[in-house]
Amino acid sequence: GSPGETAFRATDHGSESDKHFRKVSDKEKIDQLQEELLHTQLKYQRILERLEKENKELRKLVLQKDDKGIHHRKLKKSLIDMYSEVLDVLSDYDASYNTQDHLPRVVVVGDQSAGKTSVLEMIAQARIFPRGSGEMMTRSPVKVTLSEGPHHVALFKDSSREFDLTKEEDLAALRHEIELRMRKNVKEGCTVSPETISLNVKGPGLQRMVLVDLPGVINTVTSGMAPDTKETIFSISKAYMQNPNAIILCIQDGSVDAERSIVTDLVSQMDPHGRRTIFVLTKVDLAEKNVASPSRIQQIIEGKLFPMKALGYFAVVTGKGNSSESIEAIREYEEEFFQNSKLLKTSMLKAHQVTTRNLSLAVSDCFWKMVRESVEQQADSFKATRFNLETEWKNNYPRLRELDRNELFEKAKNEILDEVISLSQVTPKHWEEILQQSLWERVSTHVIENIYLPAAQTMNSGTFNTTVDIKLKQWTDKQLPNKAVEVAWETLQEEFSRFMTEPKGKEHDDIFDKLKEAVKEESIKRHKWNDFAEDSLRVIQHNALEDRSISDKQQWDAAIYFMEEALQARLKDTENAIENMVGPDWKKRWLYWKNRTQEQCVHNETKNELEKMLKCNEEHPAYLASDEITTVRKNLESRGVEVDPSLIKDTWHQVYRRHFLKTALNHCNLCRRGFYYYQRHFVDSELECNDVVLFWRIQRMLAITANTLRQQLTNTEVRRLEKNVKEVLEDFAEDSEKKIKLLTGKRVQLAEDLKKVREIQEKLDAFIEALHQEK
């Protein structure tokens, strides 16, 4: 029978056989029995502890052998590690398909400074959490997965560093890292954060379970806290507790009046029938000293003081308030306290309701019972979600593979790298053509307006050539090399953009467009053109422009064609400017019902007057003399047209320009047969074609510059740009936020959800299979 019955039999036998024993009162008899019962319980508790310790040592040896690979087999993941992984994946999954995370975990809630963190540390058998006297230390939820292992270590989900929990410096480093992560999680202007820190703690003899330590519930927001801190803590706590399969570990400070507690009301709202709540009274040593009526502690532990109901009630001691105490010292103090406690001696507390060791066992049992009862139901709900998502994919994207964001990024990356390689396949001829054309577009205005026109208005060929040489040298020294490099860089960008953005026909996937654009912009931003190019280019351009020796008739004809094209383009621009100035001619007015404005009429009359003047003197210089302006003004006034001298000058500029360009084009035509005279240096010839020579020099400089720039592009710049693209893609690959921003849309999100749900379901199935095998 029980130790109690044995004691009864011994006492009865004693009272019958020996008549000399004096009669003892009933009260003394009960006291004696309780004393014996307590001694027997404590004796068995010590035997149990000794066996547990031996078992722990044996398990440690076995785990160490496995750790060293003595059995030459791959160690399976522990059941709790498999389960913890499922919870980690679930925490990252946005439950947009109403598949809520109802998997069990132990949610640790309590008023601030109730000893919540200390209870967790006793269960984990290490002082792993940051400490503070009275101030809020838990600023975000911490998920702690406890599992057995040969060494007492801790590591974060996203890190490979192991903290040795037997070394004080590692413990300090771990506490510091947790505090840093909490501060990082808390956004500016907030005091707490809902983001979870995930920590694994392994060690010999640890009870396997998943606990979540939540920020302590507060009654008042103090200075330095965000105004919404109280509400935020309530909402975080409720979010975890409303999971119907979460076990609520409700921590109550035994050293303060029970009426001051806020957490018990919160817990009773979330679990009114107490089907998944375990109540823990901390600091029982202080409570026993301070509470006038010890029966009050009994009332709390029996669940009679609060309206809150619970599965079980526990009383624990988690230290003497000294943060430097070791777990072993606290455990010895706790056991010694309960051995001598009146609460146990007077049966106000039962032996199985005290110590953190018993609490750990009870919580672990409750946790696994809840897991076994609920996990298959959760797996079924994820199967249904997976079916719904797969059906949606088939209906919306029947011909596309399910590629999640990372897979899409890899596909886009390969496409981009192929497109950059295509850049090195561009032919030298194509590069030189576009470079020459772009450079001429950039410099043509300067060549004609600042070099050719001023020189062409001089009186003789000697002055023309001198003016041209001076202006070309100034241009090459100051502007031309820089302009050429700018053009080359812009050409490279344009070609790169063309390869990156042009549709690839049926294979083109517009889901990559934003990513390609971002990669293109970032690569271009990082590219720095080689600065030495300008200096070497200046020398090449100087030499090219100094050469006047046209070797054959073909080159001469090419120069004339080039000059004609340039002058025709300028003449067209001038004709347009005159048309805008004088308004529509009679044909447009007649056909399109357009009219001239008053100002256009004045311009038209002025133009007609100036054209008459030019007809009389086709050799007229570029500028009007003041007496000529007066004559034009008086002639117009006689016809009733009032004009300003500045208007006459503006109109003259365009009229003379048109006249000059037409004359130049006629001259150009005459020079077609001028190559023979050129070879004789125009000696004894009325025909002088120095302007053709100028355009040949410009044309040759453009060709040589384009060739030089093309060599730099293909030999250096394209490779450097390719390297930049690779670096940008590597940086983007590591930046998950960037990928989320650049690869968006329903298709991406659906593929992401499918991947996550499949991963969750597969992990749950593997866990359920392992759970059945363990049974």
Side-chain angles (χ1 to χ4, degrees), residues 171-289:
L171 276 167
L174 175 62
R175 288 195 289 266
H176 181 62
E177 180 64 23
I178 290 172
E179 191 170 354
L180 281 178
R181 284 174 181 245
M182 281 182 183
R183 292 191 185 283
K184 190 180 170 188
N185 281 355
V186 175
K187 289 175 183 154
E188 200 175 331
C190 300
T191 307
V192 289
S193 164
E195 285 182 50
T196 308
I197 295 166
S198 197
L199 182 71
N200 285 13
V201 177
K202 298 175 189 286
L206 288 184
Q207 295 303 318
R208 303 175 305 165
M209 59 184 133
V210 177
L211 305 108
V212 183
D213 185 24
L214 298 178
V217 176
I218 57 169
N219 197 9
T220 311
V221 174
T222 57
S223 64
M225 287 185 182
D228 64 346
T229 303
K230 182 178 172 181
E231 290 73 23
T232 307
I233 294 170
F234 266 81
S235 69
I236 294 170
S237 303
K238 282 179 178 176
Y240 277 91
M241 288 193 288
Q242 69 192 9
N243 172 357
N245 298 317
I247 296 147
I248 302 166
L249 198 60
C250 177
I251 311 293
Q252 167 73 49
D253 188 343
S255 68
V256 298
D257 294 338
E259 289 79 6
R260 283 166 57 187
S261 172
I262 319 160
V263 76
T264 47
D265 288 342
L266 183 62
V267 171
S268 59
Q269 282 173 33
M270 305 312 290
D271 181 27
H273 304 294
R275 290 185 184 134
R276 52 192 181 89
T277 300
I278 293 173
F279 180 87
V280 183
L281 190 69
T282 61
K283 307 178 188 178
V284 180
D285 52 340
L286 298 176
E288 191 180 54
K289 281 182 205 167

Side-chain angles (χ1 to χ4, degrees), residues 428-445:
K429 186 184 174 189
H430 178 74
W431 275 124
E432 287 184 27
E433 279 175 3
I434 54 175
L435 282 165
Q436 196 165 334
Q437 186 185 338
S438 302
L439 184 56
W440 176 239
E441 282 170 8
R442 182 66 63 86
V443 301
S444 59
T445 302

Side-chain angles (χ1 to χ4, degrees), residues 9-24:
R9 281 203 299 274
T11 314
D12 288 346
H13 176 72
S15 62
E16 283 170 13
S17 61
D18 196 352
K19 300 287 182 187
H20 300 293
F21 279 158
R22 62 184 181 80
K23 276 191 173 184
V24 288

Side-chain angles (χ1 to χ4, degrees), residues 727-757:
E727 284 174 5
V728 169
L729 285 166
E730 281 168 18
D731 291 349
F732 281 14
E734 290 168 16
D735 190 339
S736 53
E737 283 183 19
K738 185 80 81 177
K739 283 193 275 190
I740 290 167
K741 189 178 164 188
L742 298 172
L743 290 167
T744 55
K746 185 184 173 184
R747 176 176 141 202
V748 186
Q749 199 51 55
L750 194 56
E752 282 285 306
D753 288 342
L754 255 170
K755 179 195 173 189
K756 265 302 184 229
V757 169

Side-chain angles (χ1 to χ4, degrees), residues 703-714:
I704 290 171
T705 302
N707 178 270
T708 309
L709 291 171
R710 188 267 306 162
Q711 287 179 44
Q712 189 179 348
L713 279 173
T714 52

Side-chain angles (χ1 to χ4, degrees), residues 467-514:
T467 307
V468 163
D469 289 347
I470 291 166
K471 288 191 176 289
L472 283 176
K473 186 166 189 324
Q474 287 172 346
W475 182 47
T476 315
D477 283 344
K478 290 175 184 174
Q479 296 175 10
L480 183 58
N482 179 260
K483 285 271 189 289
V485 168
E486 275 178 21
V487 164
W489 176 216
E490 284 167 19
T491 304
L492 178 60
Q493 288 180 52
E494 282 163 16
E495 285 298 290
F496 178 45
S497 300
R498 182 169 68 82
F499 280 112
M500 289 281 278
T501 53
E502 67 181 10
K504 308 289 182 293
K506 286 182 181 176
E507 292 175 22
H508 178 70
D509 195 341
D510 58 9
I511 205 161
F512 298 142
D513 290 352
K514 271 170 80 175

